[in-house]
Amino acid sequence: MSRPLTARQQNVYDFIVKTMSEYGYPPTRAEIAKALGFRSPNAAEEHLRALERKGAIRIIRNTSRGIRLPAQETAERQELSSESTADSTTPSGLPVIGEVAAGSPVLAAEHIDRYCPLPSEYFTPKADYLLRVRGLSMKDVGILEGDLLAVHRTERVRDGQIVVARIEDEVTVKRFKRQGHNVQLLAENADFDPIVIDLRTQALEIEGVGVGVIRGGNGQALG
């Protein structure tokens, strides 16, 4: 961080860090405005631009949650740089999951492409594996084709969290929303319709919640 923050900028920065820690992704401008009592998302945008000028955050243009923390990106790049020299005969770190075969566990040995030497405790809550993202259904929250989604294994999930869900034989990454017996798995891309599940007649398994993203799987970690 190149320059000190004002008290209001610090409040915005702290809210970003808190949101990313709890949900694994940054807040929108509207969420910042609501949480901190700004009159409009435009006021939040002005504070974000000031934070970017001071080096506290990095803004990814044209995405609703395009806020990144350079300090976290640098720390993860340093962790991941050891991958090229790691002993391949002794797997360690987080397993990287590629294609998941129908009906088999996500962490089955045949799904593990490699291991990423990033400590699970770097993420909060801790990550148990990295899932390679397919498609662009979550692009508006900055989760793109080829990215690695850090996943904490749990069946407990709150509305609004990004989850790895299994619907019959398909594994998908979506935002979770539940109302009674009905669950909606929501894309973050207007080109994709919600997946609606009636829990009385359809099976749904939660394989975990997203707690962070590694851009393109190349070591540029996004908090």
Side-chain angles (χ1 to χ4, degrees), residues 9 13-14 19 22 31-32 49 62 72 77 115 126-127 134 148 178 181 197-198 205 209 211:
Q9 291 166 1
Y13 181 81
D14 291 343
T19 301
E22 290 184 358
E31 288 167 350
I32 294 172
R49 292 187 182 278
N62 302 317
Q72 290 188 347
R77 281 197 296 270
Y115 286 82
K126 72 178 183 67
R134 307 293 179 188
L148 297 179
R178 179 172 180 172
H181 296 292
I197 299 164
D198 185 338
E205 296 180 38
V209 298
V211 293

Side-chain angles (χ1 to χ4, degrees), residues 191-207:
D191 294 334
F192 290 77
D193 294 328
I195 299 171
V196 181
I197 299 164
D198 185 338
L199 297 177
R200 295 170 295 185
T201 59
Q202 296 173 275
L204 172 68
E205 296 180 38
I206 302 299
E207 299 281 0

Side-chain angles (χ1 to χ4, degrees), residues 156-174:
R156 301 179 63 182
V157 58
R158 302 190 304 272
D159 275 5
Q161 287 186 303
I162 291 175
V163 303
V164 178
R166 184 188 294 272
I167 312 164
E168 296 180 351
D169 290 336
E170 180 184 359
V171 172
T172 186
V173 177
K174 296 290 185 291

Side-chain angles (χ1 to χ4, degrees), residues 20-49:
M20 294 175 75
S21 176
E22 290 184 358
Y23 295 101
Y25 51 84
T28 64
R29 277 69 169 166
E31 288 167 350
I32 294 172
K34 181 179 179 180
L36 299 180
F38 297 151
R39 286 178 294 180
S40 72
N42 287 338
E45 178 68 23
E46 291 177 6
H47 285 291
L48 292 177
R49 292 187 182 278

Side-chain angles (χ1 to χ4, degrees), residues 57-109:
I57 66 171
R58 184 166 63 86
I59 297 175
I60 308 300
R61 309 300 174 190
N62 302 317
T63 62
S64 65
R65 298 181 187 271
I67 303 170
R68 304 293 178 248
L69 301 180
Q72 290 188 347
E73 293 180 353
T74 299
E76 287 196 5
R77 281 197 296 270
Q78 291 172 346
E79 292 285 353
L80 290 168
S81 66
S82 62
E83 186 174 30
S84 60
T85 58
D87 182 1
S88 61
T89 64
T90 308
S92 62
L94 294 172
V96 176
I97 307 300
E99 296 287 347
V100 178
S104 60
V106 168
L107 285 173

Side-chain angles (χ1 to χ4, degrees), residues 138-158:
M138 300 299 286
K139 74 178 183 67
D140 289 347
V141 286
I143 302 176
L144 308 177
E145 173 89 30
D147 288 351
L148 297 179
L149 179 69
V151 182
H152 171 67
R153 293 188 71 188
T154 180
E155 296 179 357
R156 301 179 63 182
V157 58
R158 302 190 304 272

Side-chain angles (χ1 to χ4, degrees), residues 111-126:
H111 300 155
I112 299 175
D113 291 342
R114 58 188 176 89
Y115 286 82
C116 175
L118 187 68
S120 62
E121 294 78 10
Y122 181 84
F123 302 94
T124 303
K126 72 178 183 67

